[in-house]
Amino acid sequence: MRFLGQPYYVGLLSAAAVHGAAHQQPMVFQVITRKPIREMRAGRVAIRFYMNSLIERFPVVRMQTETGTMRVATPESTAFDLVRYPAAAGNLGNVATVLSELADRMEKRALVALAPIVNTTDVQRLGYLLDQLGYSDLATPLYEWLSSRHPRAVPLVPEERAEVEADGRWHILPNADLELET
């Protein structure tokens, strides 16, 4: 990945798979970079790029591969990326499924440490999903961080209409049903 000439890390479903939380094998290899890059192919593998201008602030782990080392998002970085780019995971149900598989690898302190550098709406959505999945031990520290920010109500799925009442804890408009993939 050095050929990119910019910071990167393996993210989203590709990172989840590395951490053992891939419900299904990702169809493309997903990479987060600072600047936009067009999709490319490496042999039979499609590589799709997503942008994050604060990439250097996101924690990663170095993983050894056959061809060298690669930078992979931590489980906490992966969780925030999944709620930021839900379409990259297929749908919200798949995001929830992957989060349920990734939750045992996440640390609440690491989640809260990322909260100041991500969008407040991503903290709201991730906290809401973790609560819905039964991981309130991970969600509660995020809620404590969020409570002093006075967040506005936002839809769970941004591109969908939200004619429902907001959740009182996360200020999320639950405009979609969570259906976990099996």
Side-chain angles (χ1 to χ4, degrees):
M1 288 290 191
R2 278 187 221 114
F3 70 90
L4 293 175
Q6 64 174 305
Y8 82 92
Y9 61 79
V10 176
L12 299 159
L13 294 177
S14 297
V18 169
H19 292 297
H23 180 65
Q24 298 172 347
Q25 187 66 22
M27 300 295 283
V28 296
F29 193 72
Q30 297 170 316
V31 176
I32 310 292
T33 61
R34 185 185 320 141
K35 297 177 185 170
I37 298 177
R38 288 186 181 191
E39 184 172 319
M40 61 178 67
R41 296 194 77 72
R44 292 186 282 170
V45 178
I47 305 171
R48 189 164 297 149
F49 297 91
Y50 299 85
M51 198 177 88
N52 181 347
S53 61
L54 300 174
I55 189 168
E56 289 96 343
R57 296 180 66 189
F58 278 71
V60 297
V61 293
R62 293 192 178 276
M63 302 288 237
Q64 190 65 40
T65 68
E66 294 175 11
T67 58
T69 59
M70 65 180 172
R71 297 165 40 88
V72 179
T74 62
E76 299 81 13
S77 294
T78 301
F80 276 114
D81 284 343
L82 287 167
V83 296
R84 181 176 186 188
Y85 298 108
N91 59 53
L92 189 65
N94 198 41
V95 169
T97 300
V98 173
L99 287 175
S100 71
E101 296 172 358
L102 196 59
D104 291 337
R105 294 163 186 82
M106 287 192 270
E107 295 180 16
K108 54 187 166 190
R109 287 185 191 159
L111 280 173
V112 172
L114 278 169
I117 64 172
V118 300
N119 295 326
T120 301
T121 56
D122 293 339
V123 175
Q124 289 172 261
R125 289 183 179 111
L126 180 57
Y128 177 84
L129 290 171
L130 290 171
D131 260 351
Q132 294 297 306
L133 295 168
Y135 294 100
S136 60
D137 57 320
L138 293 171
T140 297
L142 288 175
Y143 172 74
E144 291 167 357
W145 179 88
L146 184 68
S147 62
S148 65
R149 300 313 180 275
H150 309 291
R152 62 181 174 80
V154 295
L156 180 58
V157 180
E159 54 279 346
E160 303 267 335
R161 292 184 58 145
E163 296 181 9
V164 293
E165 194 170 314
D167 163 79
R169 181 169 162 102
W170 298 101
H171 304 281
I172 288 290
L173 302 161
N175 60 343
D177 293 328
L178 281 181
E179 294 182 26
L180 298 176
E181 304 285 325
T182 57

